[in-house]
């Protein structure tokens, strides 16, 4: 089954404790990205990757890191989480960045930083 | 850059009736698409319907249809014969490189 898998689905952590949210896709997609969803703001792009070893900032990259060592995996790293990073996070993948290309989303990770 | 605005934070509808969710957008591109995503309580993002900007005919997918007004930059979603399973958050989005989303509209369906 074609899918994007994120883990964990729920995470509660304390301020400053490094964490990683994993994302894996099995569709051989080139393009992957991370979004965060906040009430009243919709989803906003954090980082994206057009291919292996190629990553770039989205609209809200502060406080996050990513890596793309393999085509299928695109982990999101919070080196020192803060309460303002409490949010719902989505990983997405697509075949490319072409006009109208559909993105496929993971199930989301609800992160709470206390 | 693209912007998308959904001015209705919440909407409600009675089962079997029709509801329309509003979306306005802005883009400088001439060739683009518009999407509506559904996010049920499971949090899964589901693409409900898409519209190609150069097509004058409004897209339709079963009970879901759009009213695309290109000059007004408006892209509303109409849900006919609403069902309890339609209850969700709905997002309007422009896929151009990244996805640019609106703020979302929570739809409640009353039995």
């Amino acid at each position: 089954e074609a899918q994007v898998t994120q883990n964990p689905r729920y995470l509660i952590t304390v301020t400053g404790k490094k964490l990683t949210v994993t994302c894996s896709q099995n569709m051989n997609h080139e393009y992957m990205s991370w979004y965060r969803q906040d009430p009243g703001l919709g989803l906003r792009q954090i980082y994206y990757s057009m291919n292996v070893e190629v990553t770039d900032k989205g609209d809200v990259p502060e406080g996050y890191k990513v890596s793309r060592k393999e085509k299928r995996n695109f982990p999101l790293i919070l080196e020192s989480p803060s309460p303002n990073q409490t949010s719902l996070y989505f990983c997405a993948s697509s075949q490319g960045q072409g006009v109208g290309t559909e993105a496929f989303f993971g199930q989301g990770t609800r992160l709470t930083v206390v | 850059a693209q912007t998308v605005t959904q001015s209705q934070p919440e909407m409600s509808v009675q089962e079997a009736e029709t509801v329309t969710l509003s979306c306005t957008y802005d883009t400088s591109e001439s060739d683009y698409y518009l999407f509506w995503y559904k996010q049920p309580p499971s949090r899964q993002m589901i693409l409900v319907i898409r519209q190609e900007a150069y097509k004058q005919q409004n897209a339709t997918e079963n009970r879901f249809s759009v009213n695309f007004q290109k000059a007004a930059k408006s892209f509303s979603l109409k849900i006919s014969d609403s069902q309890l399973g339609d209850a969700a958050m709905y997002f309007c989005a422009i896929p151009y490189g990244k996805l640019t989303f609106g703020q979302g509209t929570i739809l409640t369906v009353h039995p």
Side-chain angles (χ1 to χ4, degrees), chain A residues 50-106:
Chain A
M50 290 188 287
N51 211 329
V52 176
E53 302 294 358
V54 179
T55 64
D56 206 348
K57 297 176 181 178
D59 296 320
V60 288
E62 293 76 22
Y64 304 94
K65 284 178 57 178
V66 293
S67 69
R68 187 94 181 270
K69 293 184 172 58
E70 305 165 282
K71 195 173 188 178
R72 63 184 292 127
N73 296 323
F74 190 46
L76 179 69
I77 302 158
L78 284 71
E79 294 269 0
S80 182
S82 62
N84 64 13
Q85 292 178 298
T86 293
S87 187
L88 177 58
Y89 292 86
F90 285 96
C91 178
S93 75
S94 60
Q95 188 56 44
Q97 285 185 285
V99 175
T101 302
E102 180 180 357
F104 296 84
F105 287 81

Side-chain angles (χ1 to χ4, degrees), chain A residues 35 37 59 90 102 107-108, chain B residues 39 43-44 50 98-99:
Chain A
Y35 292 84
Q37 180 181 340
D59 296 320
F90 285 96
E102 180 180 357
Q107 291 277 62
Chain B
Q39 185 184 62
R43 305 198 308 232
Q44 185 64 49
R50 72 179 82 193
K98 68 178 182 184
L99 278 158

Side-chain angles (χ1 to χ4, degrees), chain A residues 34-46 60 64 85-90 105 107-111, chain B residues 39-40 43-45 89-91 101-106:
Chain A
W34 278 100
Y35 292 84
R36 62 177 286 173
Q37 180 181 340
D38 300 292
L41 297 176
L43 284 82
R44 295 173 293 167
Q45 191 183 58
I46 302 170
V60 288
Y64 304 94
Q85 292 178 298
T86 293
S87 187
L88 177 58
Y89 292 86
F90 285 96
F105 287 81
Q107 291 277 62
T109 297
R110 172 73 69 184
L111 172 65
Chain B
Q39 185 184 62
R43 305 198 308 232
Q44 185 64 49
M45 295 289 284
M89 173 87 83
Y90 287 83
F91 291 100
F101 288 89
Q103 298 86 342
T105 298
I106 299 172

